[in-house]
């Protein structure tokens, strides 16, 4: 991955666009790189609350954990970039051996390309003509660029084919098998999958290179239903291959079979190990994304590592540091962060720790977040809670996707609180 564009991120000036960064850094005209080089303390270096941080050691641990899991199970990996939309983290994922980066929307693919990503898997049917024109232009301009997206309808194939008319590019596609009759997107039956694959074969501007889907949207998904669906997916790959519908895949290339979010990658590894021999080698592609930061309260309860602890584990990397701004009575307090700063779509945050005026840090025992306003969190405090106005309170939150999106620049901190980097996001 070309990294010059990523290095230039360090040249951005620290200013009002970035929540929580030191006002004196802006006054001094510091760049992001210069601020990081000063190695300031998060609590003593002028950072203002609320401020979201990423734990440097947890990030490194999580990156290595999924890389090792994929290597052990002979899975290729295209982590879902929509989770963090952070090119600096994309680079680290690719350095850890990722095949490419997964995205959901055209603008996310454009961010990837702006920062040099060479392989993009778009996990959606792409029927936007303007976006397809951009994809075709990128493919024509860069022979090393690989782009793959879903198809899930004959109508979609027709729209894609029409949009690409006269363009000097062929777009690779995979048939999306829906995760059950009530899954989010994807084709519901194998018969319809064959019809869509045949439409691709007849199009002339699309090339069928595999099958894919996303198991976690299946209502009531469990270990049994997920494995049943995954075996339908691998059987579909074998059937389409037997029908000669992957004829466009050369002998030097691979047929893609792809699935796997952050909840069932153990099942994906198990079932993908059973994929029968096809006419071409198979690229078994996992697409988990939330692992990179993990979380408190959602994926911490769903990660497959809970079921297979001998395979490794993940660490929550986020902390949102806030301050107590009101203590109106012994059972209540308010901190200066709310819906504008806190992810809350998968549950309210939990209080991880409190840092007092003397600099000591203690567990957030007896403190519960009960409600969020736009700029405040409502805290209920028990008799054991020692909490005063001015104390720093750190929160753990659920759902990495909606945590990252609220913060355009996120300090990375060492265990002693030293800020050593800042991660830029593009949502």
């Amino acid at each position: 991955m070309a990294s010059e564009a990523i290095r230039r991120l360090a040249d951005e000036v620290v200013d009002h666009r970035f929540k929580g960064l030191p006002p004196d850094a802006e006054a001094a005209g510091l760049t992001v790189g210069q601020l990081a080089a000063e190695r300031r303390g998060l609590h003593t270096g002028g950072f203002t609350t609320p401020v979201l941080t990423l734990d440097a050691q947890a990030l490194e641990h999580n990156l290595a954990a999924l890389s090792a899991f994929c290597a052990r199970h002979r899975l290729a990996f295209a982590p879902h970039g929509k989770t963090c939309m952070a090119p600096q983290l994309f680079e680290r994922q690719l350095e850890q051996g990722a095949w490419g980066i997964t995205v959901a929307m055209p603008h996310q693919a454009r961010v990837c390309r702006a920062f040099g990503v060479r392989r993009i898997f778009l996990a959606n049917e792409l029927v936007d003509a303007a976006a397809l024109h951009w994809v075709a232009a990128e493919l024509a301009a860069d022979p090393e660029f690989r782009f793959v997206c879903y198809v899930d309808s004959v109508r979609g194939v027709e729209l894609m084919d029409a949009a690409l008319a006269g363009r000097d590019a062929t777009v690779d596609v995979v048939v999306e098998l829906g995760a059950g009759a009530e899954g989010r997107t994807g084709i519901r039956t194998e018969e319809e999958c064959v019809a869509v694959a045949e439409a691709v074969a007849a199009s002339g501007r699309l090339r069928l290179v595999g099958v894919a889907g996303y198991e976690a949207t299946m209502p009531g998904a469990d270990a049994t239903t997920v494995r049943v669906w995954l075996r339908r997916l691998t059987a579909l790959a074998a059937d389409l291959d037997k029908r000669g519908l992957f004829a466009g895949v050369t002998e030097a290339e691979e047929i893609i079979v792809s699935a796997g979010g952050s909840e069932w990658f153990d099942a994906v590894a198990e079932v993908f190990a059973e994929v029968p021999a096809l006419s071409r080698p198979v690229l078994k592609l996992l697409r988990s994304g939330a692992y990179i930061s993990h979380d408190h309260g959602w994926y911490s309860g769903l990660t497959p590592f809970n079921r297979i602890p001998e395979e490794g584990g993940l660490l929550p990397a986020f902390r949102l540091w806030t301050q107590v701004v009101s203590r109106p009575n012994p059972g209540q307090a308010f901190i200066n962060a709310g819906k504008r700063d806190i992810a809350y779509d998968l549950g309210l945050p939990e209080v991880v720790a409190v840092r007092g005026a003397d600099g000591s840090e203690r567990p957030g025992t007896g403190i519960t977040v009960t409600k969020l306003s736009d700029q405040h969190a409502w805290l209920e405090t028990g008799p054991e809670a020692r909490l005063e106005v001015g104390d720093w309170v750190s929160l753990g939150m659920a759902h990495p996707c909606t945590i990252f999106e609220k913060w355009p620049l996120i300090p990375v901190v060492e265990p002693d609180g030293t800020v050593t980097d800042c991660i830029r996001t593009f949502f």
Side-chain angles (χ1 to χ4, degrees):
M1 176 176 174
S3 58
E4 180 56 35
I6 291 175
R7 285 193 291 271
R8 287 199 298 270
L9 291 175
D11 297 331
E12 282 196 278
V13 175
V14 175
D15 60 22
H16 59 277
R17 294 172 295 165
F18 306 125
K19 299 187 287 186
L21 297 195
D24 69 287
E26 178 178 5
L30 296 184
T31 64
V32 171
Q34 289 169 335
L35 175 62
E38 291 187 353
R39 298 180 60 85
R40 298 190 185 193
L42 178 72
H43 303 287
T44 59
F47 291 85
T48 64
T49 56
V51 59
L52 182 68
T53 65
L54 278 165
D55 182 290
Q57 289 189 350
L59 273 179
E60 187 60 35
H61 172 91
N62 295 343
L63 285 161
L66 254 290
S67 177
F69 179 86
C70 289
R72 281 194 299 273
H73 294 278
R74 299 183 180 181
L75 298 172
F77 192 31
H80 211 319
K82 60 95 177 173
T83 295
C84 63
M85 287 308 297
Q88 292 150 287
L89 298 182
F90 296 167
E91 183 175 53
R92 293 178 67 176
Q93 290 170 319
L94 292 165
E95 288 172 348
Q96 288 274 3
W99 174 89
I101 299 296
T102 298
V103 297
M105 298 296 171
H107 75 272
Q108 296 168 353
R110 291 179 63 195
V111 171
C112 287
R113 287 299 288 159
F115 289 91
V117 176
R118 292 289 177 86
R119 291 177 180 152
I120 296 174
F121 187 102
L122 195 150
N124 249 330
E125 184 169 71
L126 182 58
V127 293
D128 184 310
L132 284 163
H133 296 167
W134 173 80
V135 169
E138 289 291 304
L139 289 167
D142 183 358
E144 295 186 20
F145 175 42
R146 180 83 189 275
F147 178 86
V148 181
C149 71
Y150 284 176
V151 288
D152 88 339
S153 64
V154 171
R155 171 64 173 163
V157 170
E158 292 170 348
L159 289 171
M160 294 178 75
D161 192 54
L164 292 167
R167 306 283 164 171
D168 185 23
T170 298
V171 173
D172 287 349
V173 298
V174 292
V175 168
E176 182 193 4
L177 177 66
E182 298 178 2
R184 186 172 58 195
T185 58
I187 304 163
R188 298 322 196 207
T189 70
E190 279 76 0
E191 292 76 16
E192 292 173 290
C193 287
V194 172
V196 172
E198 290 175 340
V200 171
S203 74
R205 299 179 182 89
L206 303 176
R207 185 175 72 139
L208 186 67
V209 298
V211 299
Y214 178 51
E215 68 288 340
T217 61
M218 183 189 306
D222 60 27
T224 298
T225 58
V226 166
R227 284 170 172 80
V228 168
W229 177 82
L230 286 165
R231 291 189 173 100
R232 285 182 61 200
L233 183 69
T234 58
L236 175 64
D239 181 53
L240 296 182
D241 188 45
K242 184 177 179 181
R243 293 171 183 269
L245 292 169
F246 296 130
V249 179
T250 71
E251 291 185 3
E253 296 177 313
E254 297 164 306
I255 295 170
I256 295 172
V257 180
S258 180
S262 295
E263 297 177 38
W264 296 104
F265 53 74
D266 56 337
V268 172
E270 176 188 321
V271 175
F272 279 14
E274 305 167 358
V275 174
L278 303 183
S279 63
R280 302 287 186 269
V282 178
L283 184 75
K284 302 170 185 178
L285 191 63
L286 182 70
R287 305 192 311 271
S288 309
Y291 82 98
I292 193 165
S293 63
H294 203 42
D295 71 359
H296 290 86
W298 185 256
Y299 286 106
S300 60
L302 295 176
T303 176
F305 286 129
N306 292 340
R307 298 186 289 272
I308 47 170
E310 68 278 7
E311 291 262 26
L314 300 173
L315 300 173
F318 278 124
R319 280 201 187 189
L320 179 66
W321 284 98
T322 69
Q323 262 186 307
V324 179
V325 293
S326 180
R327 190 80 159 99
N329 61 64
Q332 190 177 46
F334 293 86
I335 52 177
N336 63 342
K339 294 178 181 179
R340 304 293 178 89
D341 314 295
I342 296 170
Y344 57 91
D345 57 312
L346 293 179
L348 291 172
E350 61 182 72
V351 177
V352 175
V354 176
R355 181 184 174 90
D358 62 357
S360 63
E361 190 172 317
R362 59 187 184 273
T365 306
I367 309 171
T368 305
V369 178
T370 60
K371 180 180 174 181
L372 298 178
S373 299
D374 280 354
Q375 308 288 186
H376 296 88
W378 300 53
L379 305 185
E380 182 179 285
T381 58
E384 70 273 36
R386 295 177 290 123
L387 203 60
E388 298 181 1
V389 170
D391 285 351
W392 287 51
V393 175
S394 74
L395 303 179
M397 297 174 288
H399 199 187
C401 301
T402 53
I403 300 172
F404 274 108
E405 72 176 4
K406 295 178 181 295
W407 293 84
L409 196 65
I410 307 171
V412 178
V413 299
E414 297 294 333
D416 64 357
T418 301
V419 175
T420 58
D421 198 3
C422 291
I423 299 297
R424 184 74 157 93
T425 65
F426 294 84
F427 283 93

